[in-house]
Amino acid sequence: ARMSEAVSPNKAVTVTWVKSAIGYSIRQKRTIAALGLSKLGQTVTRPDNPQVRGMIEAVKHLVAVK
């Protein structure tokens, strides 16, 4: 990541699973699980880092982020 995109280590993002993964690829279902989501409507807090941002980007049509 470029220095301008660097995130401070104590930041976090809140991810809520808002749309069912039925009909989407197994890879997207596994990404949802890797984010720690197991039930529709569930909300989790994850560290704000490039790895988590990448997972969110891969399933942005299924989740809401704060």
Side-chain angles (χ1 to χ4, degrees):
R2 293 186 284 275
M3 292 306 286
S4 62
E5 295 176 6
V7 244
S8 66
N10 58 356
K11 295 281 184 167
V13 290
T14 302
V15 185
T16 303
W17 188 7
V18 296
K19 186 173 190 285
S20 173
I22 293 172
Y24 291 96
S25 71
I26 188 67
R27 184 173 180 173
Q28 291 178 29
K29 292 174 187 175
R30 287 178 178 161
T31 301
I32 291 286
L35 283 167
L37 297 163
S38 58
K39 292 184 178 182
L40 195 58
Q42 182 180 6
T43 301
V44 294
T45 302
R46 292 289 163 255
D48 189 2
N49 60 42
Q51 293 81 9
V52 172
R53 288 283 177 161
M55 288 195 282
I56 291 169
E57 183 66 25
V59 292
K60 64 185 173 189
H61 53 288
L62 303 176
V63 297
V65 181
K66 289 181 183 163

